[in-house]
């Protein structure tokens, strides 16, 4: 469907965001000799093999022991290393929350927690692995920066950028092949929202894979004469509050779109920002207090109400509530 | 560093024990039992064994590093850090009080010199120590990393993840000790969750294991740590089973879990201080 639509961003290739991480990881490893890697038996899934081959002395396979991996990473920062840990998002957060809380976040350690296979689009593995609470857990932690890039290019750019940011970072990406619709040479500024499309009737704040769904939704809404402003929130924490408020001051309503629970996600922090500063109607696209299940990514996005059609409906509802 | 005699080190231990008791008494909270039990170990590390710099560089390059995994015994660490010059002993007065750098459990956020990672939630410190030891290897830094855990803490799963990891990665610049006092909050470890043969367990995980039969005799603690150092550099980390008595140095506190996390009252403090000579001057 998106091929026929006149989207403002287009793609010729699909690639997984985890490959953007793997390629960015190798590149940042070449640029910065303090970057080191750790992986809990998922080197292939996380695409960390190229870095491991290039820098075997700076890479540690730790086996299936995620708690230990987080501690090791915290320790490696003492001595100036910049550790990137790699495992699935579920095992990067919920399984090791206390290790991250005490040894990394509270201890202000310069660890980059790199989390793949986040959200429903993990697909067939089902709910045990489809974490939808990770952004909430990570953004609650003081000192933690939370980044959820939208495609291969943005994930690669983010992976490189976080090495220069002093402090713990949660970098969330995913498994499926996804449209590459942002430029390869994009600058990546942590904490700076990217206004992808200017508009006047409604603002869509989207993060991760759902930025593409929002690009499609914008084209669908434009065909109906609705002017959408689309903002790519790659950094959920710290939120670019000024960009959020400036946009809703113009459009007067908001839709948030994320592959996460309503509870604790991007929608929550946008709502909090709006309520405190400038209340306007807001609609939420996300998972409504349920676990996921096995299926194909696109089937799951449809069933759980996270695709472009749902964003279109939410935008119309937000506008009607103005 | 000038070598101290056994007599001088014992004098430091006596003062550290006074500090521990006065600190927990002043805030009526904290963990005196294992703090008293581990006093000789801390004094041996900071006054004899480790190459360290009290001007404190968090990265610790070119220095030996120490990590406390069982963070609740912070009183002994704070006392020893201040007595070895990391901060003024007067600051011990602020232990566990509002706006203090001396948090109930060690933390980095307030910037207390000597602390490199927070601890308190058990089971995490050995992993951090292994990470720091790996960083030293990458940096070509030949100084050592020390860690201390509790025996009750051996019940945490992460300890065994770390135990498996260090020999696999040939972390042979690490000396980890376990404070074997046989006690935990709810009672003797044998009753709460029996640890069985720790020596056999750690050996089976690939560590060089040594035993310090009396961890409250400072000459023996030093001898053990010297032996541990001699075993390093051969592809294996060293584990030191440090047998201590919880509450050592105060007759009514010794050998029981009851003083794990209880502060003495005025009368008990007076009694306890009467058993410990003031050697370096109370803060």
């Amino acid at each position: 469907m998106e091929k026929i639509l006149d989207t403002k961003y287009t793609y010729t290739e699909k690639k997984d965001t985890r490959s953007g991480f793997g390629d960015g990881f190798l590149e940042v490893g070449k640029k910065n000799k303090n970057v080191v890697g750790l992986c809990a038996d998922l080197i292939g899934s996380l695409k960390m093999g190229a870095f491991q081959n290039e820098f075997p002395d700076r890479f540690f396979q730790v086996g299936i022991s995620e708690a230990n991996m987080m501690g090791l990473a915290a320790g490696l920062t003492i001595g100036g290393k910049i550790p990137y840990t790699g495992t699935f998002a579920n095992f990067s957060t919920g399984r090791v929350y206390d290790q991250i809380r005490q040894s990394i976040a509270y201890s202000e350690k310069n660890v980059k927690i790199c989390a793949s296979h986040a959200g429903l689009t993990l697909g067939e593995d089902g709910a045990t692995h489809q974490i939808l609470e990770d952004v909430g857990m990570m953004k609650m932690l003081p000192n933690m920066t939370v980044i959820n890039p939208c495609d291969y290019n943005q994930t690669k750019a983010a992976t490189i950028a976080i090495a220069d940011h002093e402090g713990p970072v949660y970098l969330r990406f995913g498994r499926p092949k996804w449209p590459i619709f942002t430029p390869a040479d994009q600058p990546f500024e942590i904490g700076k929202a990217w206004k992808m499309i200017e508009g006047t009737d409604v603002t869509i704040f989207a993060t991760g894979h759902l930025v593409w769904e929002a690009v499609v939704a914008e084209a669908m809404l434009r065909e109906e004469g609705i002017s959408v402003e689309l903002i790519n929130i790659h950094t959920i924490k710290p939120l670019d509050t000024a960009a959020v408020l400036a946009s809703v001051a113009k459009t007067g309503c908001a839709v948030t779109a994320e592959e996460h629970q309503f509870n604790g996600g991007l929608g929550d922090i946008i709502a909090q920002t709006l309520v405190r500063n400038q209340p306007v109607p807001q609609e939420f696209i996300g998972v409504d207090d349920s676990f996921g299940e096995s299926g194909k990514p696109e089937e799951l996005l449809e069933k759980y109400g996270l695709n472009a059609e749902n964003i279109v409906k939410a935008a119309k509802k937000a506008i009607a509530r103005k | 560093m000038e070598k101290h005699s056994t007599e001088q080190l014992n004098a430091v231990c006596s003062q550290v024990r006074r500090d521990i008791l006065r600190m927990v008494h002043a805030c009526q909270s904290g963990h005196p039992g294992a703090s008293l039990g581990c006093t000789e170990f801390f004094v041996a590390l900071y006054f004899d064994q480790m190459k360290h710099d009290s001007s404190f560089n968090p990265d610790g390059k070119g220095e030996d590093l120490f990590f406390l995994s069982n963070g609740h015994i912070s009183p002994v660490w704070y006392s020893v850090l201040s007595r070895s010059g990391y901060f003024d002993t007067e600051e011990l007065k602020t232990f566990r009080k509002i706006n203090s750098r001396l948090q109930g459990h060690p933390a980095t956020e307030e910037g207390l010199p000597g602390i490199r990672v927070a601890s308190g939630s058990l089971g995490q410190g050995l992993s951090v120590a292994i990470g720091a030891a790996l960083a030293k290897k990458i940096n070509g830094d030949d100084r050592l990393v020390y860690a201390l855990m509790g025996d009750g803490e051996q019940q945490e799963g992460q300890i065994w993840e770390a135990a498996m990891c260090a020999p696999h990665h040939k972390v042979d610049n690490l000396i980890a000790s376990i404070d074997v006092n046989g006690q935990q909050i709810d009672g003797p470890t044998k009753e709460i969750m029996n640890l069985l043969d720790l020596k056999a367990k750690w050996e089976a995980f690939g560590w060089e294991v040594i035993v310090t039969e009396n961890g409250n005799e400072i000459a023996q603690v030093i001898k053990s740590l010297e032996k541990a150092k001699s075993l390093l550099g051969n592809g294996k980390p060293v584990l030191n089973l440090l047998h201590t008595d919880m509450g050592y140095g105060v007759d009514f506190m010794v050998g029981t879990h009851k003083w794990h996390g209880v502060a003495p009252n005025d009368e008990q403090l007076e009694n306890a201080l009467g058993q410990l000579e003031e050697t370096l001057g109370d803060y």
Side-chain angles (χ1 to χ4, degrees), chain A residues 8 20 46 94 236 251 310:
Chain A
K8 297 242 172 154
L46 271 284
I236 297 171
T251 62
N310 291 283

Side-chain angles (χ1 to χ4, degrees), chain B residues 3-59:
Chain B
K3 276 282 173 193
H4 299 284
S5 67
T6 302
E7 196 177 18
Q8 286 171 320
L9 294 171
N10 279 328
V12 177
C13 289
S14 184
Q15 188 64 53
V16 167
R17 288 196 163 93
R18 289 181 69 89
D19 290 348
I20 292 165
L21 293 161
R22 295 177 70 239
M23 286 161 75
V24 298
H25 172 262
C27 61
Q28 281 299 297
S29 69
H31 299 78
S35 292
L36 293 167
C38 289
T39 296
E40 280 76 14
F41 177 76
F42 277 82
V43 170
L45 278 185
Y46 279 86
F47 285 80
D48 188 81
Q49 290 287 297
M50 290 203 307
K51 182 193 176 212
H52 64 107
D53 181 357
S54 61
S55 64
F56 190 55
N57 166 13
D59 269 352

Side-chain angles (χ1 to χ4, degrees), chain A residues 61 68 98 102-103 107 109, chain B residues 116 118 121 124 127 158 169:
Chain A
Q61 167 66 272
N68 183 48
D98 189 45
Q102 174 172 284
S103 294
S107 295
K109 293 289 173 263
Chain B
R116 292 188 167 88
S121 174
Q124 301 184 27
S127 300
Q158 188 182 345
H169 284 292

Side-chain angles (χ1 to χ4, degrees), chain B residues 15-241:
Chain B
Q15 188 64 53
V16 167
R17 288 196 163 93
R18 289 181 69 89
D19 290 348
I20 292 165
L21 293 161
R22 295 177 70 239
M23 286 161 75
V24 298
H25 172 262
C27 61
Q28 281 299 297
S29 69
H31 299 78
S35 292
L36 293 167
C38 289
T39 296
E40 280 76 14
F41 177 76
F42 277 82
V43 170
L45 278 185
Y46 279 86
F47 285 80
D48 188 81
Q49 290 287 297
M50 290 203 307
K51 182 193 176 212
H52 64 107
D53 181 357
S54 61
S55 64
F56 190 55
N57 166 13
D59 269 352
K61 285 182 184 164
E63 289 181 66
D64 294 327
L65 304 180
F66 171 70
F67 293 96
L68 178 65
S69 191
N70 46 332
H72 57 276
I73 68 167
S74 57
V76 63
W77 198 13
Y78 294 154
S79 167
V80 168
L81 284 172
S82 74
R83 294 287 171 186
S84 52
Y86 281 80
F87 53 88
D88 198 294
T89 53
E90 281 296 298
E91 199 170 345
L92 297 175
K93 281 180 184 164
T94 69
F95 174 59
R96 282 183 172 246
K97 292 184 175 166
I98 191 88
N99 299 324
S100 173
R101 298 197 293 178
L102 279 61
Q103 291 291 296
H105 294 83
T108 59
E109 201 168 66
E110 289 76 18
L112 187 70
I115 311 293
R116 292 188 167 88
V117 72
S119 60
S121 174
L122 293 172
Q124 301 184 27
L126 183 59
S127 300
V128 177
I130 294 168
L134 289 170
K136 284 208 177 292
K137 282 183 173 280
I138 297 171
N139 289 337
D141 178 346
D142 61 4
R143 301 310 307 186
L144 305 179
V145 175
Y146 294 87
L148 179 65
M149 302 170 269
D151 53 357
E153 190 179 10
Q154 303 304 299
Q155 292 155 5
E156 288 281 7
Q158 188 182 345
I159 293 286
W160 302 99
E161 293 185 2
M164 203 181 293
C165 173
H168 179 82
H169 284 292
K170 299 186 166 43
V171 182
D172 57 3
N173 54 346
L174 170 67
I175 299 170
S177 295
I178 300 174
D179 175 21
V180 185
N181 58 28
Q183 309 289 337
Q184 56 192 111
I185 300 185
D186 276 352
T189 52
K190 274 187 182 153
E191 290 172 21
I192 304 307
M193 181 54 67
N194 201 343
L195 305 168
L196 299 176
D197 190 344
L198 284 177
K199 185 166 189 287
K201 283 181 176 159
W202 283 87
E203 280 173 349
F205 275 78
W207 291 60
E208 289 282 1
V209 180
I210 63 167
V211 179
T212 308
E213 297 287 354
N214 186 353
N216 295 120
E217 191 185 300
I218 197 145
Q220 203 178 120
V221 174
I222 288 169
K223 200 175 156 193
S224 277
L225 291 172
E226 290 289 350
K227 185 179 176 190
K229 275 194 275 193
S230 74
L231 294 170
L232 292 176
N234 295 310
K236 285 182 170 189
V238 175
L239 190 281
N240 173 27
L241 290 169

Side-chain angles (χ1 to χ4, degrees), chain A residues 28-313:
Chain A
V28 76
K30 289 176 181 168
K31 277 172 59 176
N32 188 332
K33 68 178 173 48
N34 281 324
V35 168
V36 299
L38 302 105
C39 187
D41 195 29
L42 287 169
I43 291 171
S45 296
L46 271 284
K47 310 290 182 189
M48 294 175 102
F51 182 102
Q52 184 192 28
N53 290 336
E54 184 87 11
F55 308 109
D57 297 338
R58 286 159 51 192
F59 191 86
F60 303 98
Q61 167 66 272
V62 301
I64 309 166
S65 66
E66 295 82 6
N68 183 48
M69 176 167 73
M70 292 304 166
L72 254 60
L76 278 156
T77 66
I78 300 163
K81 302 297 130 193
I82 306 171
Y84 282 54
T85 65
T87 183
F88 291 166
N90 189 17
F91 315 137
S92 294
T93 56
R95 189 178 184 91
V96 291
Y97 194 69
D98 189 45
Q99 284 76 17
I100 295 174
R101 180 176 181 273
Q102 174 172 284
S103 294
I104 296 174
Y106 184 42
S107 295
E108 305 161 294
K109 293 289 173 263
N110 194 20
V111 174
K112 314 307 170 189
I113 301 162
C114 304
S116 184
H117 293 54
L120 290 173
T121 54
L122 158 66
E124 291 81 353
D125 276 349
T128 53
H129 288 51
Q130 287 162 339
I131 196 158
L132 297 164
E133 307 87 42
D134 54 329
V135 168
M137 283 188 276
M138 290 298 110
K139 82 177 166 52
M140 270 199 294
L141 288 171
N143 298 331
M144 186 66 75
T145 292
V146 178
I147 299 174
N148 187 20
C150 66
D151 70 353
Y152 169 92
N153 283 336
Q154 195 173 57
T155 306
K156 186 176 174 186
T159 302
I160 295 165
I162 58 176
D164 294 326
H165 170 86
E166 179 73 29
V169 172
Y170 179 63
L171 180 67
R172 180 197 213 230
F173 44 91
R175 175 175 183 268
K177 289 193 167 26
W178 211 248
I180 304 177
F181 58 99
T182 71
D185 59 351
Q186 64 187 288
F188 189 89
E189 194 178 337
I190 294 168
K192 186 82 182 157
W194 173 20
K195 190 190 291 177
M196 294 183 71
I197 298 171
E198 293 243 19
T200 53
D201 295 333
V202 58
T203 308
I204 300 174
F205 298 104
T207 190
H209 290 135
L210 292 206
V211 177
W212 173 252
E213 296 297 324
V215 167
V216 174
E218 186 276 336
M220 293 162 75
L221 287 159
R222 182 158 29 88
E223 283 189 345
E224 297 187 46
I226 294 168
S227 168
V228 170
E229 180 141 304
L230 172 57
I231 300 192
N232 177 331
I233 306 281
H234 51 69
T235 308
I236 297 171
K237 183 187 174 186
L239 184 68
D240 189 345
T241 307
V244 170
L245 294 176
S247 183
V248 298
K250 182 171 60 172
T251 62
C253 67
V255 172
T256 53
E258 61 192 313
E259 208 183 335
H260 191 272
Q261 302 284 352
F262 291 164
N263 287 328
L266 171 67
D268 254 15
I269 189 64
I270 297 269
Q272 199 180 119
T273 303
L274 297 180
V275 166
R276 282 182 165 173
N277 297 280
Q278 197 173 325
V280 297
Q282 177 185 346
E283 292 295 322
F284 295 72
I285 293 294
V287 175
D288 187 6
D289 200 23
S290 82
F291 290 104
E293 65 181 83
S294 295
K296 292 188 191 315
E298 57 274 20
E299 292 171 342
L300 291 161
L301 291 185
E302 185 181 352
K303 175 166 177 176
Y304 287 83
L306 271 64
N307 63 11
E309 285 78 9
N310 291 283
I311 297 173
V312 166
K313 281 183 209 155

